[in-house]
Amino acid sequence: MSHHYQSVLESIHAEVLPLQSDGAVANYIPELAKVNANTFGMHLRTIEGLDYSVGSSNELFSIQSISKVFALALVVSIVGEKIFKRVGVEPSGSSFNSLVQLEYEKGIPRNPLINAGAMVVCDALIDQLDKPKKDFLGFVRRLAQNKKIGYNERVAASEKEYGFRNAALANFLKSFGNIRHDVDEVLDLYFHICSVEMSCKDLANAFVLFANHGKFPSTNEVLLTKSQTKRLNAVMQTCGFYDEAGEFSFTVGLPGKSGVGGGIVALHPHRYAVAAWSPRLNAKGNSVMGMKALELLTTKLGSSIF
Ligand code: GLU
């Protein structure tokens, strides 16, 4: 099997290269636009701890919305399912930063993977953590087993500077009473968690826990119960890809999450976690090469969760 994974990744790399100049880098956060647009990397880690990679799999990039999964996992590991009283689990069918839906639904965000939902999760983390930014980073480092993972302060500042819509969402949530802390404090944590930088290798390492029933594969230590892991994976499956969650299920068939930095991470329960990164995005905000790479992966391996 080991040779198999490596040769599959190599053939995927060759097949996605012609897409290198398709799509556009996100520029609504100016700091993100500074990336080298034509990069591609991919890393797969099995739950047994075997690693396979191609391209720029060790290069750091802005994980952006992928962080929302870490925030959700952390809050669920502390307060359990009661977080779902403040945030739903339905796909939004609207853009990730929609204000309209939040008004109709009286301040209860559709799911924890859209911006408003992640802000509610950040608010709950501020309740629970002594030093929210430091503790969140510690959690991500522990999941990825890499103490060097950090925030990119320039990206966080750039998001804050241009974060008019996110500020509107946070204030809106506060007006409905679904944010308890100071709006600026919640936004500061939110912008920081989006600014975390990781490589494909770090992401695959971190997400392998979700493929392993919520246990750290190396020690079998339990972070999340089986049922909590099921819920997280289900939310990723139905809500993890902006307005393309259906398309991702249809073409790839794995739970996962994407971010506007061009990263995509997905997992096959009981088998592996895989991350792909390429900064150019399609019209829905997902990495063009990343989407194709993961579609090719499950097609070539002949297995998805369906
Ligand atoms: N920090 C970004 C924002 O709030 C996250 C976008 C994303 O990756 O979906 O706009």
Side-chain angles (χ1 to χ4, degrees), residues 28-29 64-65 68 96 115 159 166 190 194 242 259-260:
Y28 76 103
I29 302 168
Q64 290 295 314
S65 271
K68 291 169 178 159
F96 65 98
N115 291 13
E159 290 213 43
N166 282 326
Y190 173 77
C194 292
Y242 308 113
V260 293

mmCIF file with all atom_site columns, all heavy atoms in Angstrom, residues 28-29 64-65 68 96 115 159 166 190 194 242 259-260, ligand 1:
data_model
loop_
_atom_site.group_PDB
_atom_site.id
_atom_site.type_symbol
_atom_site.label_atom_id
_atom_site.label_alt_id
_atom_site.label_comp_id
_atom_site.label_asym_id
_atom_site.label_entity_id
_atom_site.label_seq_id
_atom_site.pdbx_PDB_ins_code
_atom_site.Cartn_x
_atom_site.Cartn_y
_atom_site.Cartn_z
_atom_site.occupancy
_atom_site.B_iso_or_equiv
_atom_site.pdbx_formal_charge
_atom_site.auth_seq_id
_atom_site.auth_comp_id
_atom_site.auth_asym_id
_atom_site.auth_atom_id
_atom_site.pdbx_PDB_model_num
ATOM   1   N N   . TYR A 1 28  ? -9.019  39.931 -0.981 1.00 0.00 ? 28  TYR A N   1
ATOM   2   C CA  . TYR A 1 28  ? -9.824  40.818 -0.130 1.00 0.00 ? 28  TYR A CA  1
ATOM   3   C C   . TYR A 1 28  ? -9.160  40.997 1.231  1.00 0.00 ? 28  TYR A C   1
ATOM   4   O O   . TYR A 1 28  ? -9.519  41.888 1.996  1.00 0.00 ? 28  TYR A O   1
ATOM   5   C CB  . TYR A 1 28  ? -11.268 40.308 -0.014 1.00 0.00 ? 28  TYR A CB  1
ATOM   6   C CG  . TYR A 1 28  ? -11.465 39.128 0.900  1.00 0.00 ? 28  TYR A CG  1
ATOM   7   C CD1 . TYR A 1 28  ? -12.013 39.287 2.168  1.00 0.00 ? 28  TYR A CD1 1
ATOM   8   C CD2 . TYR A 1 28  ? -11.094 37.846 0.496  1.00 0.00 ? 28  TYR A CD2 1
ATOM   9   C CE1 . TYR A 1 28  ? -12.186 38.212 3.017  1.00 0.00 ? 28  TYR A CE1 1
ATOM   10  C CE2 . TYR A 1 28  ? -11.267 36.763 1.336  1.00 0.00 ? 28  TYR A CE2 1
ATOM   11  C CZ  . TYR A 1 28  ? -11.810 36.945 2.590  1.00 0.00 ? 28  TYR A CZ  1
ATOM   12  O OH  . TYR A 1 28  ? -11.967 35.886 3.416  1.00 0.00 ? 28  TYR A OH  1
ATOM   13  N N   . ILE A 1 29  ? -8.173  40.116 1.544  1.00 0.00 ? 29  ILE A N   1
ATOM   14  C CA  . ILE A 1 29  ? -7.293  40.352 2.686  1.00 0.00 ? 29  ILE A CA  1
ATOM   15  C C   . ILE A 1 29  ? -5.932  40.616 2.028  1.00 0.00 ? 29  ILE A C   1
ATOM   16  O O   . ILE A 1 29  ? -5.271  39.682 1.562  1.00 0.00 ? 29  ILE A O   1
ATOM   17  C CB  . ILE A 1 29  ? -7.225  39.112 3.612  1.00 0.00 ? 29  ILE A CB  1
ATOM   18  C CG1 . ILE A 1 29  ? -8.630  38.743 4.123  1.00 0.00 ? 29  ILE A CG1 1
ATOM   19  C CG2 . ILE A 1 29  ? -6.263  39.363 4.772  1.00 0.00 ? 29  ILE A CG2 1
ATOM   20  C CD1 . ILE A 1 29  ? -8.710  37.378 4.794  1.00 0.00 ? 29  ILE A CD1 1
ATOM   21  N N   . GLN A 1 64  ? -6.443  30.004 7.249  1.00 0.00 ? 64  GLN A N   1
ATOM   22  C CA  . GLN A 1 64  ? -7.741  30.693 7.191  1.00 0.00 ? 64  GLN A CA  1
ATOM   23  C C   . GLN A 1 64  ? -8.875  29.857 7.795  1.00 0.00 ? 64  GLN A C   1
ATOM   24  O O   . GLN A 1 64  ? -8.763  29.403 8.903  1.00 0.00 ? 64  GLN A O   1
ATOM   25  C CB  . GLN A 1 64  ? -8.014  31.147 5.753  1.00 0.00 ? 64  GLN A CB  1
ATOM   26  C CG  . GLN A 1 64  ? -7.086  32.280 5.325  1.00 0.00 ? 64  GLN A CG  1
ATOM   27  C CD  . GLN A 1 64  ? -7.330  33.542 6.137  1.00 0.00 ? 64  GLN A CD  1
ATOM   28  O OE1 . GLN A 1 64  ? -8.462  33.955 6.339  1.00 0.00 ? 64  GLN A OE1 1
ATOM   29  N NE2 . GLN A 1 64  ? -6.283  34.154 6.630  1.00 0.00 ? 64  GLN A NE2 1
ATOM   30  N N   . SER A 1 65  ? -9.929  29.604 7.029  1.00 0.00 ? 65  SER A N   1
ATOM   31  C CA  . SER A 1 65  ? -11.120 28.978 7.616  1.00 0.00 ? 65  SER A CA  1
ATOM   32  C C   . SER A 1 65  ? -10.929 27.545 8.099  1.00 0.00 ? 65  SER A C   1
ATOM   33  O O   . SER A 1 65  ? -11.788 27.030 8.808  1.00 0.00 ? 65  SER A O   1
ATOM   34  C CB  . SER A 1 65  ? -12.251 28.981 6.608  1.00 0.00 ? 65  SER A CB  1
ATOM   35  O OG  . SER A 1 65  ? -12.972 30.158 6.741  1.00 0.00 ? 65  SER A OG  1
ATOM   36  N N   . LYS A 1 68  ? -11.371 26.977 11.688 1.00 0.00 ? 68  LYS A N   1
ATOM   37  C CA  . LYS A 1 68  ? -12.685 26.886 12.325 1.00 0.00 ? 68  LYS A CA  1
ATOM   38  C C   . LYS A 1 68  ? -12.949 25.465 12.830 1.00 0.00 ? 68  LYS A C   1
ATOM   39  O O   . LYS A 1 68  ? -13.671 25.273 13.805 1.00 0.00 ? 68  LYS A O   1
ATOM   40  C CB  . LYS A 1 68  ? -13.770 27.334 11.336 1.00 0.00 ? 68  LYS A CB  1
ATOM   41  C CG  . LYS A 1 68  ? -13.664 28.840 11.058 1.00 0.00 ? 68  LYS A CG  1
ATOM   42  C CD  . LYS A 1 68  ? -14.527 29.311 9.914  1.00 0.00 ? 68  LYS A CD  1
ATOM   43  C CE  . LYS A 1 68  ? -14.370 30.827 9.755  1.00 0.00 ? 68  LYS A CE  1
ATOM   44  N NZ  . LYS A 1 68  ? -14.725 31.361 8.473  1.00 0.00 ? 68  LYS A NZ  1
ATOM   45  N N   . PHE A 1 96  ? -20.069 32.548 2.951  1.00 0.00 ? 96  PHE A N   1
ATOM   46  C CA  . PHE A 1 96  ? -19.568 32.292 4.309  1.00 0.00 ? 96  PHE A CA  1
ATOM   47  C C   . PHE A 1 96  ? -19.658 33.513 5.208  1.00 0.00 ? 96  PHE A C   1
ATOM   48  O O   . PHE A 1 96  ? -19.533 33.415 6.413  1.00 0.00 ? 96  PHE A O   1
ATOM   49  C CB  . PHE A 1 96  ? -18.120 31.795 4.243  1.00 0.00 ? 96  PHE A CB  1
ATOM   50  C CG  . PHE A 1 96  ? -17.149 32.814 3.700  1.00 0.00 ? 96  PHE A CG  1
ATOM   51  C CD1 . PHE A 1 96  ? -16.378 33.586 4.551  1.00 0.00 ? 96  PHE A CD1 1
ATOM   52  C CD2 . PHE A 1 96  ? -17.015 32.999 2.339  1.00 0.00 ? 96  PHE A CD2 1
ATOM   53  C CE1 . PHE A 1 96  ? -15.482 34.530 4.053  1.00 0.00 ? 96  PHE A CE1 1
ATOM   54  C CE2 . PHE A 1 96  ? -16.126 33.948 1.835  1.00 0.00 ? 96  PHE A CE2 1
ATOM   55  C CZ  . PHE A 1 96  ? -15.363 34.700 2.687  1.00 0.00 ? 96  PHE A CZ  1
ATOM   56  N N   . ASN A 1 115 ? -18.365 32.195 8.975  1.00 0.00 ? 115 ASN A N   1
ATOM   57  C CA  . ASN A 1 115 ? -17.718 33.178 9.851  1.00 0.00 ? 115 ASN A CA  1
ATOM   58  C C   . ASN A 1 115 ? -18.503 33.428 11.135 1.00 0.00 ? 115 ASN A C   1
ATOM   59  O O   . ASN A 1 115 ? -17.935 33.430 12.229 1.00 0.00 ? 115 ASN A O   1
ATOM   60  C CB  . ASN A 1 115 ? -17.517 34.497 9.109  1.00 0.00 ? 115 ASN A CB  1
ATOM   61  C CG  . ASN A 1 115 ? -16.471 34.376 8.024  1.00 0.00 ? 115 ASN A CG  1
ATOM   62  O OD1 . ASN A 1 115 ? -16.068 33.271 7.675  1.00 0.00 ? 115 ASN A OD1 1
ATOM   63  N ND2 . ASN A 1 115 ? -16.034 35.496 7.488  1.00 0.00 ? 115 ASN A ND2 1
ATOM   64  N N   . GLU A 1 159 ? -6.437  41.461 8.224  1.00 0.00 ? 159 GLU A N   1
ATOM   65  C CA  . GLU A 1 159 ? -7.854  41.072 8.335  1.00 0.00 ? 159 GLU A CA  1
ATOM   66  C C   . GLU A 1 159 ? -8.638  42.069 9.170  1.00 0.00 ? 159 GLU A C   1
ATOM   67  O O   . GLU A 1 159 ? -9.789  42.380 8.869  1.00 0.00 ? 159 GLU A O   1
ATOM   68  C CB  . GLU A 1 159 ? -7.974  39.703 8.997  1.00 0.00 ? 159 GLU A CB  1
ATOM   69  C CG  . GLU A 1 159 ? -7.494  38.607 8.115  1.00 0.00 ? 159 GLU A CG  1
ATOM   70  C CD  . GLU A 1 159 ? -8.281  37.338 8.334  1.00 0.00 ? 159 GLU A CD  1
ATOM   71  O OE1 . GLU A 1 159 ? -9.519  37.405 8.461  1.00 0.00 ? 159 GLU A OE1 1
ATOM   72  O OE2 . GLU A 1 159 ? -7.645  36.282 8.363  1.00 0.00 ? 159 GLU A OE2 1
ATOM   73  N N   . ASN A 1 166 ? -16.822 41.328 8.729  1.00 0.00 ? 166 ASN A N   1
ATOM   74  C CA  . ASN A 1 166 ? -16.734 40.481 9.924  1.00 0.00 ? 166 ASN A CA  1
ATOM   75  C C   . ASN A 1 166 ? -17.124 41.273 11.171 1.00 0.00 ? 166 ASN A C   1
ATOM   76  O O   . ASN A 1 166 ? -17.773 40.733 12.074 1.00 0.00 ? 166 ASN A O   1
ATOM   77  C CB  . ASN A 1 166 ? -15.326 39.891 10.060 1.00 0.00 ? 166 ASN A CB  1
ATOM   78  C CG  . ASN A 1 166 ? -15.125 38.718 9.111  1.00 0.00 ? 166 ASN A CG  1
ATOM   79  O OD1 . ASN A 1 166 ? -16.065 37.965 8.854  1.00 0.00 ? 166 ASN A OD1 1
ATOM   80  N ND2 . ASN A 1 166 ? -13.921 38.565 8.586  1.00 0.00 ? 166 ASN A ND2 1
ATOM   81  N N   . TYR A 1 190 ? -10.825 35.698 16.617 1.00 0.00 ? 190 TYR A N   1
ATOM   82  C CA  . TYR A 1 190 ? -11.238 35.170 15.306 1.00 0.00 ? 190 TYR A CA  1
ATOM   83  C C   . TYR A 1 190 ? -10.171 35.455 14.233 1.00 0.00 ? 190 TYR A C   1
ATOM   84  O O   . TYR A 1 190 ? -9.759  34.572 13.484 1.00 0.00 ? 190 TYR A O   1
ATOM   85  C CB  . TYR A 1 190 ? -12.600 35.762 14.906 1.00 0.00 ? 190 TYR A CB  1
ATOM   86  C CG  . TYR A 1 190 ? -12.986 35.383 13.503 1.00 0.00 ? 190 TYR A CG  1
ATOM   87  C CD1 . TYR A 1 190 ? -13.477 34.113 13.225 1.00 0.00 ? 190 TYR A CD1 1
ATOM   88  C CD2 . TYR A 1 190 ? -12.815 36.274 12.449 1.00 0.00 ? 190 TYR A CD2 1
ATOM   89  C CE1 . TYR A 1 190 ? -13.781 33.744 11.928 1.00 0.00 ? 190 TYR A CE1 1
ATOM   90  C CE2 . TYR A 1 190 ? -13.124 35.917 11.148 1.00 0.00 ? 190 TYR A CE2 1
ATOM   91  C CZ  . TYR A 1 190 ? -13.607 34.644 10.893 1.00 0.00 ? 190 TYR A CZ  1
ATOM   92  O OH  . TYR A 1 190 ? -13.893 34.271 9.608  1.00 0.00 ? 190 TYR A OH  1
ATOM   93  N N   . CYS A 1 194 ? -7.659  32.610 12.238 1.00 0.00 ? 194 CYS A N   1
ATOM   94  C CA  . CYS A 1 194 ? -7.602  32.511 10.768 1.00 0.00 ? 194 CYS A CA  1
ATOM   95  C C   . CYS A 1 194 ? -6.185  32.726 10.245 1.00 0.00 ? 194 CYS A C   1
ATOM   96  O O   . CYS A 1 194 ? -5.857  32.293 9.145  1.00 0.00 ? 194 CYS A O   1
ATOM   97  C CB  . CYS A 1 194 ? -8.527  33.541 10.124 1.00 0.00 ? 194 CYS A CB  1
ATOM   98  S SG  . CYS A 1 194 ? -10.272 33.233 10.399 1.00 0.00 ? 194 CYS A SG  1
ATOM   99  N N   . TYR A 1 242 ? -17.786 26.002 1.766  1.00 0.00 ? 242 TYR A N   1
ATOM   100 C CA  . TYR A 1 242 ? -18.564 27.163 1.331  1.00 0.00 ? 242 TYR A CA  1
ATOM   101 C C   . TYR A 1 242 ? -19.806 26.658 0.598  1.00 0.00 ? 242 TYR A C   1
ATOM   102 O O   . TYR A 1 242 ? -20.463 25.733 1.043  1.00 0.00 ? 242 TYR A O   1
ATOM   103 C CB  . TYR A 1 242 ? -17.709 28.091 0.451  1.00 0.00 ? 242 TYR A CB  1
ATOM   104 C CG  . TYR A 1 242 ? -16.401 28.462 1.107  1.00 0.00 ? 242 TYR A CG  1
ATOM   105 C CD1 . TYR A 1 242 ? -15.186 28.029 0.596  1.00 0.00 ? 242 TYR A CD1 1
ATOM   106 C CD2 . TYR A 1 242 ? -16.389 29.228 2.265  1.00 0.00 ? 242 TYR A CD2 1
ATOM   107 C CE1 . TYR A 1 242 ? -13.988 28.374 1.213  1.00 0.00 ? 242 TYR A CE1 1
ATOM   108 C CE2 . TYR A 1 242 ? -15.200 29.568 2.886  1.00 0.00 ? 242 TYR A CE2 1
ATOM   109 C CZ  . TYR A 1 242 ? -14.005 29.134 2.346  1.00 0.00 ? 242 TYR A CZ  1
ATOM   110 O OH  . TYR A 1 242 ? -12.835 29.456 2.967  1.00 0.00 ? 242 TYR A OH  1
ATOM   111 N N   . GLY A 1 259 ? -9.990  26.651 2.971  1.00 0.00 ? 259 GLY A N   1
ATOM   112 C CA  . GLY A 1 259 ? -9.803  28.033 3.422  1.00 0.00 ? 259 GLY A CA  1
ATOM   113 C C   . GLY A 1 259 ? -9.407  28.909 2.256  1.00 0.00 ? 259 GLY A C   1
ATOM   114 O O   . GLY A 1 259 ? -8.909  28.396 1.244  1.00 0.00 ? 259 GLY A O   1
ATOM   115 N N   . VAL A 1 260 ? -9.603  30.216 2.396  1.00 0.00 ? 260 VAL A N   1
ATOM   116 C CA  . VAL A 1 260 ? -9.287  31.111 1.276  1.00 0.00 ? 260 VAL A CA  1
ATOM   117 C C   . VAL A 1 260 ? -7.785  31.283 1.052  1.00 0.00 ? 260 VAL A C   1
ATOM   118 O O   . VAL A 1 260 ? -7.380  31.902 0.078  1.00 0.00 ? 260 VAL A O   1
ATOM   119 C CB  . VAL A 1 260 ? -9.959  32.510 1.387  1.00 0.00 ? 260 VAL A CB  1
ATOM   120 C CG1 . VAL A 1 260 ? -11.455 32.407 1.261  1.00 0.00 ? 260 VAL A CG1 1
ATOM   121 C CG2 . VAL A 1 260 ? -9.550  33.225 2.651  1.00 0.00 ? 260 VAL A CG2 1
HETATM 122 N N1  . GLU B 2 .   ? -10.463 35.144 7.773  1.00 0.00 ? 1   GLU B N1  1
HETATM 123 C C1  . GLU B 2 .   ? -11.280 34.976 6.638  1.00 0.00 ? 1   GLU B C1  1
HETATM 124 C C2  . GLU B 2 .   ? -12.507 35.848 6.731  1.00 0.00 ? 1   GLU B C2  1
HETATM 125 O O1  . GLU B 2 .   ? -13.045 35.976 7.774  1.00 0.00 ? 1   GLU B O1  1
HETATM 126 C C3  . GLU B 2 .   ? -11.659 33.517 6.544  1.00 0.00 ? 1   GLU B C3  1
HETATM 127 C C4  . GLU B 2 .   ? -12.119 33.253 5.192  1.00 0.00 ? 1   GLU B C4  1
HETATM 128 C C5  . GLU B 2 .   ? -12.111 31.811 4.834  1.00 0.00 ? 1   GLU B C5  1
HETATM 129 O O2  . GLU B 2 .   ? -11.062 31.147 4.735  1.00 0.00 ? 1   GLU B O2  1
HETATM 130 O O3  . GLU B 2 .   ? -13.230 31.348 4.584  1.00 0.00 ? 1   GLU B O3  1
HETATM 131 O O4  . GLU B 2 .   ? -12.942 36.453 5.803  1.00 0.00 ? 1   GLU B O4  1
#
